[in-house]
Amino acid sequence: MTLLGSIILMSPPPSLLLGGGSAQDCAEAATVTGASETARTDIPDDYLRLYQKFGAQIGVQWNVLAAIGKRETDHGRSSLPGVRSGTNYAGAAGPMQFLVSTWGGSTKIKIEPGINGYASDGDGDGYGDIYDPADAILGAAKMLKRNGAPDDLSRAIFVYNRATWYVDQVLDIARRYAGSGQIALPAEADPACDSAYVASAPDDVVRKILEYALAQRGKPYRWGGTGPDAFDCSGIIYMAYRNAGLSIPRTTFGQFPFGVVVAQGSEQPGDLVFFNAGPGTSAGHPGHVGMIVSPGKMIEARCTRCGPIKISTYRDRPNIVGFTRPLENEAVLAQLKRALT
């Protein structure tokens, strides 16, 4: 988590009724609340009670609090540095990963009038302990409220960690934690949005590729997966191209040199975007890939903890290596030519 002193004001995404629209408009609102079976299974009972208690007390969506707790430390279960003691590489600590400077300058401080920070006393002992789940979750609820929740969730989550991919991931987890009710969240998937993405394809081949990839949304990530129940990042792309009758390399390492390089800003649906992410990767050996579905948007199978396959943004994602167009590879052009004869 990265918390900065200043607040960047962001315009919220359009709040539209579910239905038709362009690919750019497909961030519509749905209403969800309650605790799903996923939430009850994944969240420890004590954490679930705290998320719901302080969400209601402060007036923010409990499932968004829970999604941040999941994304940051797996509800305090992570063994990484800074969760139970010390700080991580960025100076963040505790189950909700506050920067110590934004907590109040110390990991544990007496709660008194005029405290400059989000240090909170959720367990009633008079102290704000950054490592105590009750204190940390109450502090996170206050931060979300201050920065736009419950109405402007995108802005509130963005201030918590200033990246739109983080916003996408938190909202995706929050959806899976929620049951039925009255909490506004961006919709996860809508056939009308699929139609808009597919309609933007430059030709029938790309349409077939996109149709397959979009149909896999909501399925889990699995390393080495090529479906039909789960995929990894390159597996979904490999199978989407197979759906169009085309053979490309199976792995990210093979896909990167395979396509023709495309300048950033010239990418189009069906192209691939690569990232220097994962063990053993580098700028010339990227370990993660997504498929462009519209300008600024890609479909990706990112990681087990990142949630299911989904559409996310890529332009502000760190470590972009570059873009390629597999359809302009000579072997693919030959496959297309044979299909026409």
Side-chain angles (χ1 to χ4, degrees):
M1 166 181 169
T2 303
L3 295 172
L4 304 178
S6 60
I7 296 175
I8 297 176
L9 296 177
M10 295 180 65
S11 299
S15 179
L16 305 173
L17 295 176
L18 290 178
S22 70
Q24 297 295 327
D25 292 334
C26 290
E28 294 97 354
T31 55
V32 290
T33 192
S36 67
E37 180 64 25
T38 298
R40 292 190 295 272
T41 301
D42 186 50
I43 304 172
D45 290 344
D46 54 343
Y47 272 74
L48 181 56
R49 286 192 294 269
L50 292 171
Y51 293 134
Q52 293 185 325
K53 173 184 176 180
F54 293 125
Q57 178 179 314
I58 301 303
V60 300
Q61 291 92 331
W62 75 263
N63 54 316
V64 175
L65 271 176
I68 289 174
K70 173 68 173 180
R71 182 62 185 83
E72 294 292 347
T73 68
D74 194 20
H75 311 301
R77 292 176 292 212
S78 172
S79 60
L80 292 174
V83 178
R84 297 177 182 83
S85 64
T87 63
N88 69 5
Y89 70 95
M96 301 303 282
Q97 291 289 278
F98 276 95
L99 288 180
V100 175
S101 60
T102 64
W103 187 252
S106 177
T107 59
K108 186 174 183 178
I109 60 177
K110 186 173 178 59
I111 301 300
E112 297 176 322
I115 289 177
N116 182 22
Y118 288 101
S120 302
D121 179 16
D123 60 1
D125 66 356
Y127 288 85
D129 184 345
I130 203 169
Y131 303 108
D132 182 87
D135 295 353
I137 291 169
L138 176 56
K142 290 178 178 178
M143 185 179 182
L144 290 175
K145 182 71 171 180
R146 176 179 176 179
N147 293 301
D151 299 318
D152 192 349
L153 285 176
S154 292
R155 177 180 173 236
I157 299 167
F158 184 86
V159 174
Y160 206 96
N161 189 331
R162 296 174 185 271
T164 56
W165 58 261
Y166 181 87
V167 176
D168 291 340
Q169 289 185 12
V170 167
L171 290 176
D172 181 74
I173 297 168
R175 271 186 222 102
R176 290 184 283 125
Y177 280 166
S180 60
Q182 299 299 321
I183 296 177
L185 292 175
E188 178 179 4
D190 176 23
C193 292
D194 287 0
S195 298
Y197 288 123
V198 172
S200 69
D203 54 46
D204 287 340
V205 173
V206 176
R207 273 191 281 277
K208 290 179 181 178
I209 293 169
L210 294 184
E211 284 172 348
Y212 182 93
L214 291 166
Q216 312 315 311
R217 278 190 295 174
K219 294 182 179 180
Y221 173 94
R222 182 182 300 145
W223 188 84
T226 55
D229 300 321
F231 299 81
D232 66 8
C233 65
S234 56
I236 185 174
I237 292 167
Y238 171 74
M239 294 303 295
Y241 272 76
R242 280 191 59 177
N243 184 64
L246 302 172
S247 178
I248 66 170
R250 159 66 186 88
T251 68
T252 305
F253 297 143
Q255 290 172 3
F256 179 60
F258 183 79
V260 172
V261 174
V262 176
Q264 186 166 1
S266 300
E267 66 271 16
Q268 63 187 27
D271 290 347
L272 308 184
V273 53
F274 293 87
F275 303 87
N276 179 12
T281 68
S282 64
H285 198 60
H288 182 59
V289 61
M291 181 192 296
I292 309 297
V293 296
S294 72
K297 298 285 186 180
M298 65 178 173
I299 187 165
E300 64 171 341
R302 190 171 187 187
C303 68
T304 303
R305 240 181 98 184
C306 301
I309 295 167
K310 58 185 172 293
I311 291 173
S312 57
T313 59
Y314 62 81
R315 284 180 175 162
D316 71 334
R317 189 79 70 82
N319 300 328
I320 292 180
V321 171
F323 302 82
T324 71
R325 187 166 296 157
L327 289 173
E328 292 187 2
N329 176 277
E330 290 183 359
V332 172
L333 291 173
Q335 293 173 45
L336 291 169
K337 184 176 180 180
R338 285 195 296 272
L340 294 174
T341 58

